[in-house]
Amino acid sequence: MFKKKNLKWLSILATLTMIWVQLGGALVTKTGSADGCGSSWPLCHGALLPQNLPIETIIELSHRAVSGFSLFIVLWLAITAWKNIGHIKEVKPLSCISLGFLLIQALVGAAAVLWQQNDYVLALHFGISLISFASVFVLTLIIFDVDQKYEANKFIMHKPLRIMTWIMALIVYIAIYTGALVRHTDSSLAYGSFPLPFQDLMPHTEQDWIQLTHRMLALIVFTWILITFIHASKHYSNIRTIRYGYTACFILVLLQALTGALSVITEVNLIVALLHALFITLLFGLISYFIILIFRSKRHLKEQS
């Protein structure tokens, strides 16, 4: 017999597992553990469990184990949700997207080990995995009936906020890619001090340009989310879904900016770097939920016309 409570626990487990996949990938990159298992995949140095286990190998093996577990748990969630709440319009597409992008993420990771992809291709890995996480996260919100509790299935999101949200999603995703590129090209401490090396503003190396591009995009993201937050607070103050959601969005981007600055100031402290990855993961998941609200709002408009 199907119990909604069991599906809720499963969705929480899947969401937490996908968060750890994101953080694990960041940990692998930040600690230089990508070659911890050599060029072997799915084995590690040609063995299921090599005898020699330096910290880099342990980190890489742990990330592979969590990624493998995530594939199992997301598949379980997708099948269970499809079977039992598939009548909800977004459930089947989200189930397919979460599983599909998780498989692509695994294949990209395997290709990186076997064929040593260049940094610009490797940077796609985080973004692909992030789409899978966002799908699982939104599916979890649907399973917990957030729509019903906060009237998210009834209100109308008008065109200005819809456009601002789409732009927000696009620039955040581009900034995520450049952030991953910063990690993969070892550009975290390039281009001098924060916010700018005023004694020498001209970038000189490829790493300088990558770091500068990411900082400029981060500033654009922060500014745009602030503008969107102000607009949403002003025009949707009586709608809790918008008020709470866009407030949380602004808080997350504020924390993201703070940890980004601290990453430079602390010379890439590992805890700060992982928090940086966590905040952008949650931010993108929240924005993805806003996109679902956009589609629902457009359906409501059609029904009323």
Side-chain angles (χ1 to χ4, degrees):
M1 181 183 294
F2 169 70
K3 293 183 179 179
K4 188 71 172 290
K5 181 179 179 180
N6 294 336
L7 183 57
K8 287 181 178 180
W9 280 111
L10 181 59
S11 67
I12 291 174
L13 179 59
T15 301
L16 293 176
T17 302
M18 288 303 300
I19 288 176
W20 184 243
V21 169
Q22 297 299 110
L23 295 182
L27 182 63
V28 166
T29 306
K30 288 293 184 183
T31 57
S33 303
D35 294 325
C37 286
S39 58
S40 299
W41 192 92
L43 300 177
C44 184
H45 293 299
L48 184 63
L49 184 64
Q51 293 182 345
N52 185 26
L53 290 173
I55 187 63
E56 293 83 4
T57 301
I58 293 173
I59 291 173
E60 173 65 12
L61 267 177
S62 299
H63 180 54
R64 291 188 185 187
V66 174
S67 296
F69 178 72
S70 70
L71 188 59
F72 165 75
I73 202 70
V74 170
L75 176 61
W76 187 8
L77 175 65
I79 292 173
T80 306
W82 186 299
K83 180 179 178 181
N84 295 286
I85 59 170
H87 59 277
I88 301 175
K89 194 174 184 66
E90 295 85 5
V91 167
K92 291 181 179 179
L94 286 171
S95 299
C96 292
I97 292 170
S98 61
L99 192 58
F101 274 86
L102 189 56
L103 286 170
I104 295 171
Q105 176 257 347
L107 291 174
V108 171
V113 173
L114 296 172
W115 299 302
Q116 299 296 307
Q117 302 293 319
N118 69 61
D119 294 326
Y120 289 86
V121 175
L122 288 174
L124 294 170
H125 192 240
F126 187 81
I128 292 170
S129 180
L130 197 57
I131 292 175
S132 182
F133 161 77
S135 302
V136 171
F137 177 73
V138 174
L139 188 57
T140 298
L141 294 181
I142 292 174
I143 289 169
F144 273 81
D145 297 320
V146 171
D147 301 14
Q148 316 300 326
K149 295 175 182 176
Y150 295 101
E151 303 90 26
N153 60 335
K154 298 177 182 178
F155 75 90
I156 300 297
M157 185 185 293
H158 298 289
K159 190 173 183 179
L161 185 57
R162 295 202 305 265
I163 293 174
M164 295 173 80
T165 302
W166 275 115
I167 294 173
M168 183 167 64
L170 177 62
I171 59 177
V172 165
Y173 197 76
I174 295 172
I176 287 169
Y177 175 78
T178 61
L181 193 58
V182 165
R183 293 202 303 269
H184 284 287
T185 56
D186 294 323
S187 303
S188 298
L189 298 178
Y191 196 59
S193 58
F194 184 88
L196 295 172
F198 293 105
Q199 71 281 5
D200 184 12
L201 289 172
M202 184 63 190
H204 299 287
T205 66
E206 180 186 9
Q207 290 176 317
D208 285 347
W209 280 108
I210 290 172
Q211 175 62 238
L212 176 60
T213 300
H214 181 59
R215 291 189 193 185
M216 294 300 102
L217 276 168
L219 178 60
I220 292 171
V221 166
F222 180 84
T223 305
W224 189 258
I225 290 181
L226 174 60
I227 292 170
T228 307
F229 163 65
I230 293 172
H231 174 86
S233 299
K234 181 179 179 181
H235 297 281
Y236 298 84
S237 59
N238 60 329
I239 300 175
R240 290 181 297 171
T241 303
I242 296 295
R243 187 171 75 250
Y244 295 160
Y246 283 81
T247 299
C249 195
F250 177 68
I251 292 172
L252 285 170
V253 80
L254 191 61
L255 293 171
Q256 177 71 8
L258 178 62
T259 50
L262 287 174
S263 292
V264 177
I265 295 169
T266 62
E267 298 185 352
V268 197
N269 176 274
L270 186 57
I271 300 300
V272 172
L274 291 178
L275 286 173
H276 193 60
L278 174 63
F279 294 140
I280 197 63
T281 298
L282 296 176
L283 176 62
F284 188 76
L286 189 56
I287 293 172
S288 299
Y289 180 61
F290 295 158
I291 291 174
I292 293 295
L293 296 182
I294 288 174
F295 286 122
R296 287 189 171 183
S297 183
K298 291 179 73 173
R299 287 204 303 270
H300 297 330
L301 284 171
K302 287 183 180 179
E303 291 170 0
Q304 291 178 6
S305 61

